[in-house]
Amino acid sequence: MDTEESSIPKVDRKTLKAEKKKKKKEELLKNLERRELLKEAVANSAKPVPKNILSGLSNDVKGRDYTVSFAIPGSILDNQQTPELRSYLAGQIARAAAVFSVDEIVVYDDEGVKDSENTDLNTKKSRGVEQLSRILMYLECPQYLRKHFFPLHQDLQFAGILSPTDMPHHLRTDDASVYREGVVSDKQVKEGHCLVKIGLKSDCLVNMALKPGIRVTVRLKEGYEFDSKLKGTVVSPSEPRTKAGLYWGYNVRVAPNLSSVFTGSPYKGGYDLSLGTSEKGTNVDTCEIPKFEHL
């Protein structure tokens, strides 16, 4: 056979094979190195948010009377090419909110279908608004409550692989905290009372009759871990912040347009300080921010 390979001396063929083997080995090492760097980056991004769990209330504990909100357009997800990237971006927003103790996230619709009679109203939410708000609410909810509030949905297909926000109210069974999030159980108890599932081995009895299936914040007695039966009091979701200074997650509000971000504020008197972001704006490090109640 008068082929190119047969014309190559045996020594040269061995050299070529050795070089090919060496190149494959180098490529394999590079891929392994990239994979290790990627694992390290993912591990660093998944580090939990520092928790400030409170096992008891005292006069030394100071609350926080101000709130921080930020608004973001739902169309931010539209620039992502795959469902995985859309979920990842929503997860990064939730994590940033947890790190900086944001109390409210407003997802506004900047491209909804307008009502022909009232141009200020959108008749249909954009796809990005629905998905972003749903993922944000899912990641804010404690893990032991998610099955009660979030059935299987296409928007949450990749939410389970996102880095946990691990907020202070995302408590584990062995975490001692006087405040816990829970869901009202449908078990029958004595009149004027109800049971609340709060992520512990036994349900908590509260002296208030509430509709089953709603989410509530419960304050437990100090040293409750030594009681045979758990008893608590249903309190406002803002009490952990105002009385104990704890960061207790964020609320998600959907606004039909940008103006509704301000007019639909849940706080009395609205937001007393608003900041806008722009690449042509003043550097935030040089700004003097006055005292505020609702940013």
Side-chain angles (χ1 to χ4, degrees), residues 77 80-92 131 135 154-155 157-159 161-162:
L77 294 188
Q80 308 307 309
Q81 297 176 344
T82 64
E84 293 92 334
L85 289 175
R86 291 165 69 93
S87 299
Y88 176 77
L89 178 58
Q92 292 298 97
Q131 185 175 15
I135 294 177
Q154 183 181 359
D155 291 344
Q157 182 180 1
F158 300 101
I161 62 175
L162 297 177

Side-chain angles (χ1 to χ4, degrees), residues 6 39 59 61 75-76 104 106 115 124 126 132 144 146 153 169 185 188 192 196 201 214 231 259 266 277 287:
S6 61
K39 283 183 179 180
N59 295 330
V61 178
S75 61
I76 192 173
E104 181 193 32
V106 186
D115 191 331
K124 186 179 180 182
S126 71
L132 179 56
Y144 58 88
R146 288 174 181 172
H153 195 279
H169 63 298
S185 172
Q188 297 294 326
V196 180
K201 294 180 180 179
I214 65 172
K231 293 183 179 180
S259 62
T277 60
C287 295

Side-chain angles (χ1 to χ4, degrees), residues 108-122:
Y108 66 91
D109 193 348
D110 56 340
E111 56 178 19
V113 179
K114 298 294 181 181
D115 191 331
S116 57
E117 296 182 359
N118 189 345
T119 56
D120 292 333
L121 296 177
N122 292 339

Side-chain angles (χ1 to χ4, degrees), residues 53 133 188:
I53 299 173
S133 58
Q188 297 294 326

